[in-house]
Amino acid sequence: MIAVFGLGHVGIVTAICLAEKGFSVIGIDKGAEKITSLKNSKLYIFEKGLQELFEKNKSKLQFSTNSQDAKIATEIIVCVGTPSLAGGAVDYSHINSVCEEISALTKKSNTLKNIFFRSTVQPKTTRTKLTKLVNNKTVNIFFYPEFLREGSAVEDFLNPNQTIIGVESTDNPSSISSDIIKGFDNVNYVDYEVAEMIKYANNSFHALKVAFINEIATVAKEYDVDISSLHKVFIGDDKLNISTSYLKPGFAFGGPCLTKDTRGFLEMGLKKGIKTPLIQNILPSNNEHLMRFIAQIESFKASKVLFCGITFKKGTNDIRNSPIVDLMSLYYQRPSYNKKIVHVLDEENIIESLRSSSRLAPYKIMSKLEQLDEEYDLIIFGTKVNDSIIEKYKNTNILHLGFIL
Ligand SMILES: NC(=O)c1ccc[n+]([C@@H]2O[C@H](COP(=O)([O-])OP(=O)(O)OC[C@H]3O[C@@H](n4cnc5c(N)ncnc54)[C@H](O)[C@@H]3O)[C@@H](O)[C@H]2O)c1
């Protein structure tokens, strides 16, 4: 038997869909009204297809307000609410109390094997808080994020794109034994923290997409652009737009186009009196990211630094708007360490153009490994990573900018 704690939108869909998958399920909720309603075969939420599944699987479903009624469960799924407090912090009061109840239950139960937390929580909550609250070493604890969308929750539950299971350690997922997990294809085992964070990444991304396309469309409309045609060609580009391109964490963006055209778009909006706060904050966000790298570089307290690969992206000799050159200039101007020495290594055909650039005047530019000095305090790999350098400067601090483009 599976017990589902918390029968709100997520919990009731989870309970009924698990019954549909063949499990006997007990749903536990503090709300007496909800339990009475369910016992009277009445659903208190509307969700496409749910009523039919409820009626079809009634014989496999029980409901109670008493957590002790879950003592014969083999697996528990926790779906209690984690609402926002003022300022966006998470209210953990429901999940705290449910953990205490489950902890008491585990002491009496000799059937319980696994507990899955589905309530959205911030990274590290499962490892540092929930496992301690449950406090039972014989029970496995997982974080199982929920991706169902209200309106298509049944379909999303029964046919998930992927099932993410957060585990204490990903070393040996084959040792995990769970009937719930067995029922899903495409299961992805990740650390607790990844499973916790993915909800925030996904939902922030979806929110970003809505706000982004609305800002674009609002400005475009003012310029008599056919929005539906624009939308069609925008989403029709699955190589660069609706794709994984540019979606890789790394260094700040630069180059001749992204910055210039973002500024151009902002000016178009301003001319028409339209505020586009999302797109307006892209360049400050990019700059903030660059400044984080300055702080990281400074933390090495290096006075002799080598930069390898400084063009704005791989496969070009263009250093106009190179964020690495911006990084070098900012670093060079920081007052914290005077007498800094900055060397640059790049390919000969690239540095030919670099040599004439006034932006690079303060630095020593080289194209051959033999020209490098014997010692550096810090080596920073930008658009190039060189194994011979890593080998030669084994004891030197290395920083990879992790270029995105
Ligand atoms: N609603 C969604 O579409 C959605 C999607 C994905 C994830 N989530 C996350 O899933 C979690 C649940 O969301 P929801 O919308 O179902 O919440 P909800 O507030 O609608 O329901 C939570 C239920 O838990 C019950 N509860 C509280 N304490 C309890 C306890 N100690 N024992 C038993 N029951 C208890 C409440 O009575 C309530 O019925 C949240 O963390 C939410 O962020 C929600």
Side-chain angles (χ1 to χ4, degrees), residues 109-127:
S109 164
N110 43 27
T111 53
L112 187 65
K113 284 192 307 184
N114 301 320
I115 302 171
F116 295 85
F117 286 97
R118 301 215 89 179
S119 310
T120 302
V121 297
Q122 293 183 352
K124 287 193 192 280
T125 307
T126 309
R127 195 179 300 276

PDB file of all heavy atoms in Angstrom, residues 109-127:
ATOM      1  N   SER A 109       6.057   1.076  12.347  1.00  0.00           N
ATOM      2  CA  SER A 109       5.855   0.320  11.102  1.00  0.00           C
ATOM      3  C   SER A 109       7.055  -0.570  10.801  1.00  0.00           C
ATOM      4  O   SER A 109       8.201  -0.138  10.941  1.00  0.00           O
ATOM      5  CB  SER A 109       5.666   1.304   9.945  1.00  0.00           C
ATOM      6  OG  SER A 109       5.839   0.629   8.729  1.00  0.00           O
ATOM      7  N   ASN A 110       6.791  -1.812  10.393  1.00  0.00           N
ATOM      8  CA  ASN A 110       7.926  -2.591   9.893  1.00  0.00           C
ATOM      9  C   ASN A 110       7.756  -2.876   8.409  1.00  0.00           C
ATOM     10  O   ASN A 110       8.410  -3.733   7.851  1.00  0.00           O
ATOM     11  CB  ASN A 110       8.161  -3.879  10.711  1.00  0.00           C
ATOM     12  CG  ASN A 110       6.855  -4.573  11.000  1.00  0.00           C
ATOM     13  OD1 ASN A 110       5.918  -4.415  10.217  1.00  0.00           O
ATOM     14  ND2 ASN A 110       6.785  -5.305  12.092  1.00  0.00           N
ATOM     15  N   THR A 111       6.838  -2.135   7.770  1.00  0.00           N
ATOM     16  CA  THR A 111       6.641  -2.330   6.329  1.00  0.00           C
ATOM     17  C   THR A 111       7.242  -1.180   5.514  1.00  0.00           C
ATOM     18  O   THR A 111       7.592  -1.357   4.357  1.00  0.00           O
ATOM     19  CB  THR A 111       5.135  -2.394   5.981  1.00  0.00           C
ATOM     20  OG1 THR A 111       4.514  -1.234   6.527  1.00  0.00           O
ATOM     21  CG2 THR A 111       4.478  -3.635   6.518  1.00  0.00           C
ATOM     22  N   LEU A 112       7.354  -0.011   6.147  1.00  0.00           N
ATOM     23  CA  LEU A 112       7.727   1.180   5.373  1.00  0.00           C
ATOM     24  C   LEU A 112       9.168   1.114   4.859  1.00  0.00           C
ATOM     25  O   LEU A 112      10.105   0.902   5.625  1.00  0.00           O
ATOM     26  CB  LEU A 112       7.555   2.437   6.246  1.00  0.00           C
ATOM     27  CG  LEU A 112       7.741   3.753   5.514  1.00  0.00           C
ATOM     28  CD1 LEU A 112       6.663   3.948   4.462  1.00  0.00           C
ATOM     29  CD2 LEU A 112       7.754   4.916   6.492  1.00  0.00           C
ATOM     30  N   LYS A 113       9.314   1.281   3.520  1.00  0.00           N
ATOM     31  CA  LYS A 113      10.656   1.226   2.905  1.00  0.00           C
ATOM     32  C   LYS A 113      11.117   2.599   2.423  1.00  0.00           C
ATOM     33  O   LYS A 113      12.274   2.966   2.564  1.00  0.00           O
ATOM     34  CB  LYS A 113      10.607   0.312   1.652  1.00  0.00           C
ATOM     35  CG  LYS A 113      10.577  -1.168   1.934  1.00  0.00           C
ATOM     36  CD  LYS A 113      10.835  -1.973   0.654  1.00  0.00           C
ATOM     37  CE  LYS A 113       9.898  -1.584  -0.473  1.00  0.00           C
ATOM     38  NZ  LYS A 113      10.000  -2.345  -1.686  1.00  0.00           N
ATOM     39  N   ASN A 114      10.185   3.325   1.802  1.00  0.00           N
ATOM     40  CA  ASN A 114      10.595   4.560   1.120  1.00  0.00           C
ATOM     41  C   ASN A 114       9.668   5.723   1.433  1.00  0.00           C
ATOM     42  O   ASN A 114       8.454   5.538   1.511  1.00  0.00           O
ATOM     43  CB  ASN A 114      10.552   4.355  -0.406  1.00  0.00           C
ATOM     44  CG  ASN A 114      11.464   3.233  -0.865  1.00  0.00           C
ATOM     45  OD1 ASN A 114      12.572   3.080  -0.355  1.00  0.00           O
ATOM     46  ND2 ASN A 114      10.997   2.447  -1.818  1.00  0.00           N
ATOM     47  N   ILE A 115      10.276   6.906   1.538  1.00  0.00           N
ATOM     48  CA  ILE A 115       9.469   8.140   1.653  1.00  0.00           C
ATOM     49  C   ILE A 115       9.897   9.065   0.511  1.00  0.00           C
ATOM     50  O   ILE A 115      11.094   9.302   0.307  1.00  0.00           O
ATOM     51  CB  ILE A 115       9.709   8.855   2.999  1.00  0.00           C
ATOM     52  CG1 ILE A 115       9.380   7.925   4.171  1.00  0.00           C
ATOM     53  CG2 ILE A 115       8.878  10.135   3.073  1.00  0.00           C
ATOM     54  CD1 ILE A 115       9.797   8.475   5.523  1.00  0.00           C
ATOM     55  N   PHE A 116       8.905   9.555  -0.225  1.00  0.00           N
ATOM     56  CA  PHE A 116       9.166  10.479  -1.333  1.00  0.00           C
ATOM     57  C   PHE A 116       8.602  11.842  -0.963  1.00  0.00           C
ATOM     58  O   PHE A 116       7.413  11.944  -0.653  1.00  0.00           O
ATOM     59  CB  PHE A 116       8.451  10.007  -2.609  1.00  0.00           C
ATOM     60  CG  PHE A 116       8.968   8.711  -3.140  1.00  0.00           C
ATOM     61  CD1 PHE A 116       8.479   7.503  -2.651  1.00  0.00           C
ATOM     62  CD2 PHE A 116       9.928   8.686  -4.137  1.00  0.00           C
ATOM     63  CE1 PHE A 116       8.952   6.295  -3.142  1.00  0.00           C
ATOM     64  CE2 PHE A 116      10.403   7.482  -4.638  1.00  0.00           C
ATOM     65  CZ  PHE A 116       9.916   6.279  -4.138  1.00  0.00           C
ATOM     66  N   PHE A 117       9.429  12.880  -1.021  1.00  0.00           N
ATOM     67  CA  PHE A 117       8.921  14.229  -0.800  1.00  0.00           C
ATOM     68  C   PHE A 117       8.657  14.881  -2.149  1.00  0.00           C
ATOM     69  O   PHE A 117       9.546  14.944  -3.000  1.00  0.00           O
ATOM     70  CB  PHE A 117       9.939  15.062  -0.002  1.00  0.00           C
ATOM     71  CG  PHE A 117       9.981  14.672   1.438  1.00  0.00           C
ATOM     72  CD1 PHE A 117      10.939  13.783   1.915  1.00  0.00           C
ATOM     73  CD2 PHE A 117       9.039  15.169   2.328  1.00  0.00           C
ATOM     74  CE1 PHE A 117      10.967  13.405   3.244  1.00  0.00           C
ATOM     75  CE2 PHE A 117       9.057  14.786   3.670  1.00  0.00           C
ATOM     76  CZ  PHE A 117      10.017  13.909   4.127  1.00  0.00           C
ATOM     77  N   ARG A 118       7.410  15.343  -2.340  1.00  0.00           N
ATOM     78  CA  ARG A 118       7.051  16.016  -3.589  1.00  0.00           C
ATOM     79  C   ARG A 118       6.859  17.520  -3.391  1.00  0.00           C
ATOM     80  O   ARG A 118       6.790  18.269  -4.360  1.00  0.00           O
ATOM     81  CB  ARG A 118       5.740  15.454  -4.169  1.00  0.00           C
ATOM     82  CG  ARG A 118       5.755  13.997  -4.472  1.00  0.00           C
ATOM     83  CD  ARG A 118       4.925  13.684  -5.704  1.00  0.00           C
ATOM     84  NE  ARG A 118       5.745  13.772  -6.881  1.00  0.00           N
ATOM     85  CZ  ARG A 118       5.311  13.528  -8.118  1.00  0.00           C
ATOM     86  NH1 ARG A 118       4.061  13.216  -8.318  1.00  0.00           N
ATOM     87  NH2 ARG A 118       6.119  13.615  -9.148  1.00  0.00           N
ATOM     88  N   SER A 119       6.668  17.935  -2.148  1.00  0.00           N
ATOM     89  CA  SER A 119       6.430  19.362  -1.896  1.00  0.00           C
ATOM     90  C   SER A 119       7.672  20.142  -2.334  1.00  0.00           C
ATOM     91  O   SER A 119       8.799  19.704  -2.072  1.00  0.00           O
ATOM     92  CB  SER A 119       6.194  19.597  -0.406  1.00  0.00           C
ATOM     93  OG  SER A 119       5.220  18.701   0.076  1.00  0.00           O
ATOM     94  N   THR A 120       7.445  21.285  -2.953  1.00  0.00           N
ATOM     95  CA  THR A 120       8.582  22.076  -3.436  1.00  0.00           C
ATOM     96  C   THR A 120       9.354  22.668  -2.251  1.00  0.00           C
ATOM     97  O   THR A 120       8.770  23.343  -1.407  1.00  0.00           O
ATOM     98  CB  THR A 120       8.059  23.199  -4.356  1.00  0.00           C
ATOM     99  OG1 THR A 120       7.333  22.582  -5.413  1.00  0.00           O
ATOM    100  CG2 THR A 120       9.192  24.034  -4.917  1.00  0.00           C
ATOM    101  N   VAL A 121      10.655  22.368  -2.200  1.00  0.00           N
ATOM    102  CA  VAL A 121      11.503  22.902  -1.121  1.00  0.00           C
ATOM    103  C   VAL A 121      12.821  23.395  -1.717  1.00  0.00           C
ATOM    104  O   VAL A 121      13.208  22.985  -2.810  1.00  0.00           O
ATOM    105  CB  VAL A 121      11.813  21.826  -0.041  1.00  0.00           C
ATOM    106  CG1 VAL A 121      10.548  21.366   0.660  1.00  0.00           C
ATOM    107  CG2 VAL A 121      12.564  20.631  -0.631  1.00  0.00           C
ATOM    108  N   GLN A 122      13.499  24.274  -0.989  1.00  0.00           N
ATOM    109  CA  GLN A 122      14.765  24.828  -1.504  1.00  0.00           C
ATOM    110  C   GLN A 122      15.896  23.791  -1.370  1.00  0.00           C
ATOM    111  O   GLN A 122      15.829  22.919  -0.500  1.00  0.00           O
ATOM    112  CB  GLN A 122      15.112  26.112  -0.753  1.00  0.00           C
ATOM    113  CG  GLN A 122      14.101  27.215  -1.069  1.00  0.00           C
ATOM    114  CD  GLN A 122      14.425  28.551  -0.420  1.00  0.00           C
ATOM    115  OE1 GLN A 122      15.331  28.663   0.398  1.00  0.00           O
ATOM    116  NE2 GLN A 122      13.662  29.559  -0.786  1.00  0.00           N
ATOM    117  N   PRO A 123      16.918  23.904  -2.257  1.00  0.00           N
ATOM    118  CA  PRO A 123      18.017  22.944  -2.211  1.00  0.00           C
ATOM    119  C   PRO A 123      18.655  22.834  -0.822  1.00  0.00           C
ATOM    120  O   PRO A 123      18.805  23.834  -0.139  1.00  0.00           O
ATOM    121  CB  PRO A 123      19.029  23.506  -3.211  1.00  0.00           C
ATOM    122  CG  PRO A 123      18.247  24.392  -4.095  1.00  0.00           C
ATOM    123  CD  PRO A 123      17.087  24.891  -3.319  1.00  0.00           C
ATOM    124  N   LYS A 124      18.997  21.629  -0.481  1.00  0.00           N
ATOM    125  CA  LYS A 124      19.628  21.213   0.786  1.00  0.00           C
ATOM    126  C   LYS A 124      18.590  20.905   1.870  1.00  0.00           C
ATOM    127  O   LYS A 124      18.936  20.428   2.940  1.00  0.00           O
ATOM    128  CB  LYS A 124      20.633  22.240   1.335  1.00  0.00           C
ATOM    129  CG  LYS A 124      21.929  22.301   0.550  1.00  0.00           C
ATOM    130  CD  LYS A 124      22.952  23.081   1.350  1.00  0.00           C
ATOM    131  CE  LYS A 124      24.152  23.429   0.545  1.00  0.00           C
ATOM    132  NZ  LYS A 124      25.140  22.552   0.312  1.00  0.00           N
ATOM    133  N   THR A 125      17.298  21.197   1.603  1.00  0.00           N
ATOM    134  CA  THR A 125      16.283  20.953   2.643  1.00  0.00           C
ATOM    135  C   THR A 125      16.176  19.466   2.950  1.00  0.00           C
ATOM    136  O   THR A 125      16.083  19.060   4.113  1.00  0.00           O
ATOM    137  CB  THR A 125      14.908  21.490   2.186  1.00  0.00           C
ATOM    138  OG1 THR A 125      15.064  22.843   1.807  1.00  0.00           O
ATOM    139  CG2 THR A 125      13.865  21.376   3.272  1.00  0.00           C
ATOM    140  N   THR A 126      16.175  18.625   1.896  1.00  0.00           N
ATOM    141  CA  THR A 126      16.005  17.190   2.141  1.00  0.00           C
ATOM    142  C   THR A 126      17.200  16.660   2.938  1.00  0.00           C
ATOM    143  O   THR A 126      17.024  15.975   3.947  1.00  0.00           O
ATOM    144  CB  THR A 126      15.878  16.436   0.803  1.00  0.00           C
ATOM    145  OG1 THR A 126      14.884  17.070   0.020  1.00  0.00           O
ATOM    146  CG2 THR A 126      15.502  14.982   1.015  1.00  0.00           C
ATOM    147  N   ARG A 127      18.413  17.041   2.479  1.00  0.00           N
ATOM    148  CA  ARG A 127      19.614  16.474   3.117  1.00  0.00           C
ATOM    149  C   ARG A 127      19.776  16.967   4.556  1.00  0.00           C
ATOM    150  O   ARG A 127      20.084  16.195   5.459  1.00  0.00           O
ATOM    151  CB  ARG A 127      20.857  16.853   2.286  1.00  0.00           C
ATOM    152  CG  ARG A 127      22.093  16.044   2.627  1.00  0.00           C
ATOM    153  CD  ARG A 127      23.284  16.439   1.747  1.00  0.00           C
ATOM    154  NE  ARG A 127      23.068  16.245   0.338  1.00  0.00           N
ATOM    155  CZ  ARG A 127      23.234  15.092  -0.319  1.00  0.00           C
ATOM    156  NH1 ARG A 127      23.627  14.023   0.336  1.00  0.00           N
ATOM    157  NH2 ARG A 127      23.019  15.027  -1.620  1.00  0.00           N
TER     158      ARG A 127
END
